[in-house]
Amino acid sequence: GESVGLHLPTLSVQEGDNSIINCAYSNSASDYFIWYKQESGKGPQFIIDIRSNMDKRQGQRVTVLLNKTVKHLSLQIAATQPGDSAVYFCAENIEGGSYIPTFGRGTSLIVHP
Amino acid sequence: NAGVTQTPKFQVLKTGQSMTLQCAQDMNHEYMSWYRQDPGMGLRLIHYSVGAGITDQGEVPNGYNVSRSTTEDFPLRLLSAAPSQTSVYFCASSLAPGRGVYEQYFGPGTRLTVT
């Protein structure tokens, strides 16, 4: 379940497993979504994006699924590696809006060797 | 390309002091923005700019000023530092809409402590 206060939701997996990170977005008008990865001590880095006219998009080892009905995104990482350990943020945006995305709280992914 | 650079990396201020966090990008991006990140929180938008001479407030603008006199630079000024401004500050830049990609490029961050 999701933590409150200072603690991020955390997902712990074994190396080689598949990881699924979930994100609920807030604005039903949002039509563009991005996943970012933030390693310790660094700025966020773009992973993959998806527009609302799609429900799935695949990248290298990552897949993003979008369910607009329940306002839910997920990021699937195949064959998770220790280098995938990071905080993952989803961000939502409205094309035609300010084009500055709104970020979620993030999920900490810990990969055990 | 250096991408997005931020200075300083670390800063300690006393309550009431002022300072400027520097941000520069060499990608000719129109959009630039400042975020703060607190423990257990996502990124909260402070101010943003859609081009030189144009700035707007984000979610948490109080206590901060910005200006955008050039495309490359977007400094963030703390007018009178308060302990509540202790945070990690990230600058980001991106292309303007209509050019296909809305990916933001982030700097390495400035870790600010106000005592």
Side-chain angles (χ1 to χ4, degrees), chain A residues 5-77:
Chain A
L6 298 181
H7 302 289
L8 288 175
T10 300
L11 175 66
S12 289
V13 301
Q14 291 296 127
E15 181 177 1
D17 286 352
N18 295 334
S19 303
I20 300 176
I21 300 170
N22 295 304
C23 175
Y25 63 93
S26 55
N27 191 341
S28 56
S30 294
D31 53 12
Y32 179 70
F33 306 90
I34 311 173
W35 280 98
Y36 285 89
K37 173 186 180 184
Q38 185 178 25
E39 296 176 73
S40 181
K42 296 184 179 179
Q45 188 174 19
F46 174 92
I47 303 174
I48 191 167
D49 60 354
I50 188 168
R51 285 183 164 77
S52 60
N53 60 354
M54 305 171 71
D55 52 21
K56 179 179 180 179
R57 189 161 189 223
Q58 288 185 289
Q60 189 176 13
R61 278 202 308 119
V62 295
T63 300
V64 57
L65 300 178
L66 174 61
N67 185 330
K68 295 180 287 293
T69 303
V70 295
K71 294 191 288 185
H72 183 268
L73 278 171
S74 67
L75 178 71
Q76 302 179 0
I77 305 174

Side-chain angles (χ1 to χ4, degrees), chain A residues 5-8 32 34 36 38 41-46 49 51 87 89 93 95-106, chain B residues 31-33 35 37 39-45 48-50 59 90 94 97-98 100-109 111:
Chain A
L6 298 181
H7 302 289
L8 288 175
Y32 179 70
I34 311 173
Y36 285 89
Q38 185 178 25
K42 296 184 179 179
Q45 188 174 19
F46 174 92
D49 60 354
R51 285 183 164 77
V87 176
F89 294 96
N93 206 340
E95 293 200 73
S98 73
Y99 299 102
I100 306 294
T102 301
F103 285 80
R105 282 181 63 211
Chain B
Y31 280 42
M32 296 186 75
S33 47
Y35 294 88
Q37 185 175 37
M41 304 283 287
L43 293 155
R44 292 188 292 168
L45 182 66
Y48 67 99
S49 168
V50 300
E59 180 187 354
F90 289 100
S94 65
V101 180
Y102 301 98
E103 175 185 353
Q104 287 187 300
Y105 293 79
F106 284 83
R111 190 173 295 273

Side-chain angles (χ1 to χ4, degrees), chain B residues 7-107:
Chain B
T7 56
K9 283 188 170 26
F10 301 93
Q11 182 70 51
V12 178
L13 290 178
K14 293 190 189 311
T15 297
Q17 287 185 316
S18 62
M19 79 158 295
T20 299
L21 306 185
Q22 301 292 345
C23 175
Q25 53 91 10
D26 60 0
M27 297 173 283
N28 204 28
H29 284 171
E30 294 90 346
Y31 280 42
M32 296 186 75
S33 47
W34 276 102
Y35 294 88
R36 59 177 289 173
Q37 185 175 37
D38 301 301
M41 304 283 287
L43 293 155
R44 292 188 292 168
L45 182 66
I46 304 171
H47 286 286
Y48 67 99
S49 168
V50 300
I54 306 169
T55 63
D56 207 346
Q57 295 182 349
E59 180 187 354
V60 288
N62 292 342
Y64 307 95
N65 270 0
V66 292
S67 60
R68 183 101 179 267
S69 55
T70 66
T71 300
E72 295 78 19
D73 300 298
F74 191 43
L76 178 72
R77 296 183 193 84
L78 279 69
L79 308 171
S80 177
S84 61
Q85 293 179 303
T86 294
S87 190
V88 181
Y89 291 84
F90 289 100
C91 178
S93 72
S94 65
L95 292 170
R99 294 168 71 172
V101 180
Y102 301 98
E103 175 185 353
Q104 287 187 300
Y105 293 79
F106 284 83

